[in-house]
C-alpha cells in the first residue's frame, strides 16, 4: 500500500509540475514577445532619428559653402574691380621736338591734346561708374547673404539635432517601464495630462533652441565690428561661427545616435536571448507530460502487482533503466521491445502470440480528395503492377488504424486507382502521414530509386527492418520508404525511440569534473585545467580555463590489446566530414591537416567484451549512457603523422537528433617514445606553457567541448591538436559523447553515416 501511495503521489506531483512548467513556459514566451516588440519599436524610433539626422550633413555643407564664398568675396571683387578706359581726361606730357640739324629750321610736333573747348567722352565715364556701383551693391549683398545662409543652416541643424537626440533618448528609454519594478514605475509614472504637457514642453524647447541658435553668429560679428574691424571681416566671422554651429550639431547627433544604436542593439540581443530561453523552456517542459504519463503507468503497474503480492519486484527500477531512460510496459501494450519514447511506441494487436502491430495512416493532403489504402503483401516480391487488397477509404484530416505486421507493405491510391505513394511498416514508426511531400517523393525518380542491384533481395530478406538507415538511403524503392529519404521526416528526435532527456544540463559539467578526484581515486585523477585554476597549490601549475583531466590506468593493457586486435587490418586514411546533401548524407573529405589512420570499432570490435567494459566504465564516470556515444574511433599515428588544431563540436549539430558532442573521452592505448602529445594551444598554465598531455598507455584524457553554463554552446578554448609523432607509434581511441542518443539516429541514417 505504501508503494502504491508513493507512486500515486509521484504521479500527482508530476501533474502539478506539468501545470507549473506550462505556466512558466507561457510566461517566458509572453515576456520574450514583449521584449521583441520593445526592440522592434526601438528600432523604428531609431530609424526616424536617422532620417532626421540626415538633414545635418546638408546643413554643414551649406554653411561651409557660404563661409567659403564669404572668404572668396574680396579676391573676387579685386579681380572684377578694374578701372575702365576714358573714365576721365588726363593731361598728356608735351612732346619735345628733336633738335634739328644745324642749318635746318625747327618744326614743332603736332599736338594730340583735345581742344580746350572740347567735351570729354561722357558715355565712357557714365558706364564705368554704373558698373562700379553695381559691383559695390553685389559685394554688399554677398556680405549680407553669406552669413544669413550660414545662420539659417545652423538654426536648422540645431533643430534637427535636438529632434534626433530626443528620438534617440526615446529609443533608449523604451522598454524600461515594461520591465521595471512596481516601485520604480510608481516613481516615474506620469498621467495623460503630464504626458501631454511634457510633449508640449519638448516642442517649445525645440523652437526656443531654433531661436537661440540664431544669436551666436550675429553676436560674434558685432563684437568684431565693435573692435574696429571692417564690415567684410565681421561678415566672414558670422559665416564661420554659423558653420561651426552646424558642424557641432552634427557631431552631437552622431554621438547620441551611436549611443542609441548600441542601446537598441542590446535590446535586440536581450530579446533574442529571452526568446531562445523561452523556447528552451517550452522544449524542456514538453518532456514533462511524457514523464508524467510514465509515472501514471508506474502507479497503475504497482497497484496491479501489489494486489498480486509482488509490489517490490514490480516497482524495482534497475540502474540501467534510469540511466538509459527505458520506460517499462507492465500492461504489455507496446510492441517492438524496450521503449524510451512513448511517441515512438507501436501498440500491439490484442493477440500477443501473432506479434501484430497497429499502424496509423493519416490523410494530410487536402487537395487529393478521398484516398484509398491497399494491402500489398508481407514485404516480399511486390511489383508496381500489383493492385493489392483494398482495406479502407480516407477523407482529408482523418486517421485509419490498421492491424498489421512489421515489414508489410501498403499502397495509397486516388479515386482513379493511380498509386500516389507506398509505405512499409517499420519499427517505432507508428504513423504514416500521406502528405504532398510524400506523394512528390514517391514520384521523384531521384528520390525513389534503388542505388544498388541487390536492393530487391535485401528487402526480401528483411534488411529494411534490421538496417533501415542504409536501405532507406540506398534501396528506398524496394523498401517502400521513399518518404523517409527526407531527413525532416526520418530524423526528428521527438519521433525516434530515443531517450529524450539531455546528457548534460547547465552546471553538470562542473559537477562532473569537480568530483572526479574524490569519486574515482583508483584512477589517479590529474586536473590540468579548471575554471579559476588552483591558486592554493601553485606547484601543480593548473591552468585557469575549461576543465581538462586525465585518469591513469583507466584502460588495462589487456583491454587495449583486445580492442586493437579486432581492427588491426582495418586502418585507413582518416577523413573529415564535408558538405551535407539534401538527404542528410555527409561527404568524406581527405584533409591535409589530418594525416593519421583510423578504424571504426564496429562489428566484432563493438561486441568485444573489452570494448563493452570500457564503454560501461566511461558511462559510470560521466553518467551519460553508452547509447549517446559514437562507436570508438581507433587511431594510429606513425612517425610524422599529426592532426592540426581543430574542435570536436559543431554548433549546427544542436539541430541533429543526437545533438552536439558534449565530451571527448580520449583513450591512450600505447606509449610513445617521443612526440604525439595532445595540446590545447588556447589554454595556458601559470608558468606560461600550454596544456600538453603526453601519451601513456591506459590513460584517459577527458575534456568538454561545450560550456558548463550552456551545453549547447561550443567552448572554443578546447580547440586541440595531436602533435606529430617523432619516434614510435601512437595508438589511441576517441569516444565522442553526445547530448542525446546516438545509436538510434545512426541506425536510421541520421548522423550522416550509414552503418
Amino acid at each position: 500500500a505504501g508503494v502504491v501511495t508513493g507512486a500515486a503521489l509521484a504521479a500527482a506531483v508530476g501533474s502539478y509540475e506539468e501545470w507549473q512548467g506550462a505556466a512558466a513556459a507561457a510566461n517566458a514566451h509572453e515576456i520574450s514577445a514583449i521584449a521583441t516588440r520593445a526592440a522592434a519599436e526601438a528600432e523604428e524610433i531609431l530609424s526616424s532619428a536617422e532620417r532626421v539626422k540626415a538633414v545635418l550633413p546638408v546643413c554643414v555643407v551649406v554653411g561651409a559653402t557660404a563661409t567659403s564664398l564669404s572668404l572668396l568675396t574680396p579676391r573676387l571683387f579685386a579681380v572684377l574691380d578694374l578701372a575702365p578706359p576714358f573714365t576721365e581726361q588726363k593731361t598728356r606730357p608735351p612732346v619735345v621736338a628733336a633738335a634739328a640739324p644745324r642749318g635746318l629750321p625747327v618744326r614743332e610736333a603736332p599736338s594730340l591734346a583735345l581742344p580746350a573747348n572740347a567735351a570729354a567722352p561722357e558715355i565712357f565715364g557714365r558706364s564705368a561708374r554704373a558698373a562700379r556701383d553695381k559691383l559695390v551693391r553685389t559685394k554688399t549683398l554677398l556680405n549680407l547673404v553669406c552669413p544669413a545662409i550660414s545662420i539659417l543652416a545652423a538654426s536648422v541643424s540645431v533643430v534637427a539635432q535636438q529632434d534626433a537626440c530626443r528620438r534617440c533618448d526615446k529609443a533608449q528609454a523604451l522598454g524600461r517601464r515594461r520591465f521595471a519594478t512596481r516601485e520604480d514605475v510608481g516613481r516615474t509614472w506620469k498621467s495623460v495630462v503630464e504626458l501631454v504637457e511634457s510633449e508640449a514642453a519638448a516642442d517649445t524647447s525645440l523652437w526656443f533652441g531654433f531661436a537661440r541658435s540664431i544669436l551666436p553668429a550675429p553676436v560674434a560679428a558685432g563684437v568684431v565690428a565693435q573692435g574696429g574691424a571692417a564690415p567684410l571681416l565681421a561678415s566672414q566671422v558670422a559665416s564661420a561661427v554659423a558653420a561651426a554651429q552646424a558642424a557641432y550639431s552634427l557631431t552631437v547627433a552622431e554621438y547620441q545616435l551611436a549611443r542609441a544604436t548600441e542601446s537598441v542593439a542590446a535590446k535586440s540581443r536581450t530579446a533574442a536571448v529571452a526568446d531562445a530561453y523561452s523556447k528552451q523552456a517550452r522544449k524542456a517542459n514538453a518532456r514533462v507530460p511524457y514523464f508524467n504519463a510514465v509515472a501514471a503507468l508506474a502507479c497503475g503497474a504497482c497497484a496491479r502487482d501489489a494486489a498480486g503480492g509482488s509490489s517490490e519486484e514490480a516497482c524495482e527500477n534497475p540502474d540501467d533503466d534510469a540511466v538509459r531512460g527505458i520506460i517499462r510496459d507492465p500492461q504489455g501494450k507496446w510492441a517492438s521491445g524496450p521503449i524510451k519514447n512513448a511517441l515512438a511506441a507501436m501498440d500491439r494487436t490484442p493477440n500477443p502470440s501473432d506479434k501484430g502491430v497497429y499502424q496509423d495512416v493519416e490523410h494530410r493532403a487536402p487537395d487529393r480528395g478521398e484516398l484509398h489504402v491497399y494491402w500489398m503483401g508481407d514485404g516480399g516480391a511486390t511489383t508496381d503492377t500489383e493492385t493489392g487488397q483494398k482495406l479502407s477509404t480516407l477523407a482529408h484530416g482523418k486517421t485509419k488504424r490498421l492491424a498489421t505486421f512489421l515489414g508489410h507493405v501498403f499502397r495509397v491510391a486516388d479515386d482513379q486507382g493511380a498509386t500516389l505513394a507506398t509505405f512499409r511498416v517499420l519499427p517505432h514508426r507508428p504513423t504514416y502521414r500521406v502528405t504532398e511531400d510524400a506523394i512528390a517523393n514517391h514520384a521523384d525518380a531521384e528520390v525513389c530509386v534503388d542505388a544498388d542491384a541487390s536492393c530487391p533481395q535485401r528487402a526480401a530478406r528483411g534488411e529494411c527492418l534490421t538496417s533501415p538507415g542504409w536501405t532507406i538511403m540506398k534501396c528506398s524503392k524496394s523498401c517502400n520508404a521513399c518518404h523517409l529519404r527526407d531527413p525532416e521526416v526520418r530524423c526528428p528526435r521527438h519521433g525516434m525511440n530515443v531517450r529524450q532527456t539531455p546528457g548534460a544540463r547547465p552546471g553538470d559539467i562542473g559537477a562532473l569534473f569537480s568530483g572526479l578526484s574524490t569519486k574515482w581515486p583508483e584512477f589517479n585523477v590529474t586536473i590540468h585545467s579548471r575554471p579559476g585554476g588552483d591558486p592554493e597549490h601553485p606547484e601543480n601549475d593548473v591552468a585557469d580555463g575549461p576543465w581538462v583531466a586525465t585518469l591513469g590506468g583507466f584502460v588495462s593493457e589487456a583491454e587495449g590489446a583486445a580492442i586493437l586486435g579486432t581492427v588491426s587490418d582495418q586502418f585507413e586514411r582518416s577523413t573529415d566530414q564535408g558538405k551535407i546533401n539534401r538527404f542528410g548524407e555527409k561527404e568524406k573529405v581527405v584533409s591535409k591537416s589530418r594525416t593519421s589512420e583510423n578504424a571504426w570499432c564496429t562489428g566484432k570490435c563493438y561486441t568485444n567484451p573489452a570494448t563493452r567494459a570500457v564503454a560501461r566504465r566511461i558511462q559510470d564516470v560521466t553518467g551519460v549512457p553508452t547509447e549517446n556515444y559514437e562507436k570508438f574511433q581507433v587511431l594510429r599515428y606513425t612517425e610524422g603523422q599529426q592532426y592540426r588544431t581543430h574542435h570536436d563540436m559543431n554548433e549546427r549539430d544542436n539541430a541533429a537528433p543526437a545533438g552536439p558532442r558534449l565530451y571527448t573521452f580520449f583513450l591512450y592505448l600505447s606509449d610513445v617514445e617521443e612526440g604525439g602529445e595532445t595540446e590545447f594551444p588556447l589554454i595556458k598554465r601559470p608558468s606560461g606553457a600550454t596544456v600538453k598531455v603526453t601519451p601513456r598507455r591506459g590513460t584517459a584524457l577527458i575534456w568538454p567541448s561545450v560550456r558548463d553554463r550552456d551545453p549547447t554552446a561550443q567552448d572554443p578554448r578546447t580547440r586541440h591538436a595531436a602533435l606529430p609523432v617523432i619516434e614510435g607509434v601512437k595508438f589511441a581511441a576517441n569516444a565522442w559523447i553526445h547530448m542525446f542518443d546516438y545509436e538510434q539516429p545512426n541506425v536510421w541514417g541520421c548522423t550522416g553515416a550509414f552503418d
Side-chain angles (χ1 to χ4, degrees), residues 155-173:
S155 301
V156 172
S157 71
V158 168
V159 173
Q161 173 243 313
Q162 290 182 340
D163 192 16
C165 290
R166 185 174 66 172
R167 293 170 189 263
C168 289
D169 292 339
K170 188 175 180 181
Q172 293 182 75

Side-chain angles (χ1 to χ4, degrees), residues 632-650:
F632 290 173
Q633 184 190 48
V634 186
L635 300 163
R636 180 171 65 189
Y637 290 84
T638 57
E639 292 182 6
Q641 291 184 333
Q642 63 176 323
Y643 193 177
R644 293 196 178 99
T645 305
H646 62 283
H647 205 284
D648 289 342
M649 183 267 194
N650 191 320

Side-chain angles (χ1 to χ4, degrees), residues 193-211:
V193 175
E194 289 174 319
L195 290 174
V196 172
E197 291 175 347
S198 176
E199 194 69 22
D203 290 338
T204 303
S205 175
L206 194 69
W207 293 110
F208 269 117
F210 177 81

Side-chain angles (χ1 to χ4, degrees), residues 130-174:
R132 182 175 289 106
D133 291 343
K134 186 175 182 180
L135 287 173
V136 170
R137 287 194 301 272
T138 304
K139 183 176 181 180
T140 304
L141 181 63
L142 284 176
N143 287 337
L144 293 175
V145 168
C146 287
I149 292 175
S150 289
I151 292 171
L152 180 61
S155 301
V156 172
S157 71
V158 168
V159 173
Q161 173 243 313
Q162 290 182 340
D163 192 16
C165 290
R166 185 174 66 172
R167 293 170 189 263
C168 289
D169 292 339
K170 188 175 180 181
Q172 293 182 75
L174 196 144

Side-chain angles (χ1 to χ4, degrees), residues 7 293-303 315 330:
V294 174
L297 283 173
C299 175
C302 289
C315 294

Side-chain angles (χ1 to χ4, degrees), residues 1 3-4 300-316:
V3 173
V4 175
C302 289
R304 183 194 68 184
D305 292 333
S310 59
S311 61
E312 293 183 4
E313 189 176 70
C315 294
E316 182 184 2

Side-chain angles (χ1 to χ4, degrees), residues 400-436:
K400 178 65 177 179
R401 170 160 282 200
L402 307 176
T404 182
F405 297 88
L406 291 177
H408 282 214
V409 177
F410 294 85
R411 181 173 73 96
V412 179
D414 58 16
D415 285 334
Q416 287 72 41
T419 301
L420 299 179
T422 62
F423 66 92
R424 185 181 296 260
V425 181
L426 298 173
H428 303 300
R429 300 282 172 170
T431 304
Y432 173 75
R433 295 178 176 86
V434 186
T435 64
E436 292 295 340

